[in-house]
Amino acid sequence: MGFFLKLILTGLGWSFGGPLGGIIGYAIGSLFSGGPRLIRSEVTDTFGNTEEKRDFNVTLLVLSAAVMKADGNVKRSELDYVKRFFLQNFGQERAENYIKMLREILEKDYNLYEVSQQVGRYMDYASRLQLLHYLFGIANADGNVTQQELGVINTISDYMGITNSDFSSLKAMFIKETDSAYKILGIDPSASDEEVKRAYREMAKKNHPDLVSNLGDEVRQAAEKKFQEVNAAYESIKKQRGM
């Protein structure tokens, strides 16, 4: 990584060097043309003023690009999904800057293993689950998660250190099957009522929006959708069983 990029990332408090730092630096260099002092101010205004928020949001862009390019065709519905998320959560100006950065990232190829491994090392588990939830949302933006998209998300999940059970739970929120409610809770339909209750408590605790409150109210509010899916799955099973 060049000295100039190191100066930018250090000045912002960014935790990412390595492959993610290189991708971020490439995009920043394409977006901003001022000197070091101007860039530092512009990037802070663009991506937020706390390290955790910047790390999460920019990582979302990098991994979003991988999912969007999975089937060799970046769809308008996928780009619109990302635009809506950033517009709803960060306002017009910042949303436009994030999308500009995404367009630059889409032009660059990178090692998905190295990037995902770095995310796994530096980001807490709850935040990684939320990232994965967003990625499924992008893939499902056109109403269909392709096998190529599912494969890329599965690969990212493995490399980030997400358990198979948690991956299957998130997948079941977007790819509905007859036993999706059980998969969301990470259990088999043959589980006892007590096992269902225990699985719900564990999954609700793992996916509680408060766990990502450090990323800001915007991400916490988005995380509530995932939490609601867990609650809905539990209510569905209770109704089926008459619990």
Side-chain angles (χ1 to χ4, degrees), residues 19 75 98 109 114 121 125 141 166 170 193:
K75 302 180 184 70
Y98 273 116
D109 293 324
E114 292 180 352
R121 288 195 301 271
Y125 196 79
D166 287 337
L170 289 169
D193 288 353

Side-chain angles (χ1 to χ4, degrees), residues 38-242:
L38 176 60
I39 287 179
R40 178 173 177 176
S41 174
E42 286 180 335
V43 175
T44 300
D45 290 343
T46 299
F47 302 119
N49 55 11
T50 71
E51 180 179 338
E52 289 175 308
K53 291 181 183 180
R54 285 194 302 266
D55 287 350
F56 183 87
N57 294 334
V58 177
T59 300
L60 174 59
L61 294 181
V62 174
L63 297 182
S64 295
V67 174
M68 293 168 76
K69 294 194 295 184
D71 53 10
N73 179 29
V74 177
K75 302 180 184 70
R76 169 57 61 179
S77 58
E78 296 168 341
L79 187 58
D80 287 345
Y81 180 94
V82 180
K83 283 182 177 179
R84 283 195 302 272
F85 168 75
F86 283 105
L87 181 61
Q88 291 168 1
N89 292 307
F90 301 102
Q92 185 71 35
E93 184 177 357
R94 281 191 177 178
E96 289 178 356
N97 286 323
Y98 273 116
I99 296 305
K100 288 178 183 178
M101 190 174 192
L102 174 62
R103 292 184 187 277
E104 296 295 335
I105 292 171
L106 282 166
E107 295 297 320
K108 187 174 178 63
D109 293 324
Y110 51 88
N111 188 309
L112 191 58
Y113 172 78
E114 292 180 352
V115 169
S116 301
Q117 283 271 299
Q118 189 174 2
V119 173
R121 288 195 301 271
Y122 285 101
M123 192 168 287
D124 65 86
Y125 196 79
S127 297
R128 282 178 271 158
L129 287 178
Q130 191 61 35
L131 272 176
L132 211 59
H133 187 265
Y134 286 134
L135 296 184
F136 269 113
I138 293 169
N140 195 49
D142 61 352
N144 177 49
V145 180
T146 68
Q147 286 302 310
Q148 296 96 323
E149 291 168 334
L150 183 60
V152 168
I153 297 174
N154 196 359
T155 297
I156 292 171
S157 178
D158 285 343
Y159 291 163
M160 287 197 307
I162 303 298
T163 67
N164 291 334
S165 176
D166 287 337
F167 172 80
S168 296
S169 173
L170 289 169
K171 174 185 171 184
M173 294 179 187
F174 293 89
I175 302 176
K176 298 300 182 181
E177 299 174 343
T178 55
D179 59 347
S180 288
Y182 287 96
K183 288 182 178 178
I184 289 173
L185 296 188
I187 54 176
D188 190 84
S190 62
S192 67
D193 288 353
E194 282 305 312
E195 288 172 328
V196 169
K197 293 176 183 178
R198 183 165 58 250
Y200 165 70
R201 288 193 296 268
E202 292 175 355
M203 197 61 70
K205 182 179 179 180
K206 188 182 297 183
N207 289 281
H208 200 284
D210 285 349
L211 294 176
V212 293
S213 61
N214 58 308
L215 300 175
D217 291 339
E218 305 91 351
V219 175
R220 187 191 184 284
Q221 290 170 8
E224 289 177 357
K225 182 178 180 180
K226 178 161 56 75
F227 188 63
Q228 289 167 0
E229 290 275 3
V230 173
N231 287 330
Y234 182 52
E235 291 301 322
S236 174
I237 294 173
K238 287 201 301 180
K239 185 177 181 179
Q240 292 173 18
R241 295 185 172 209

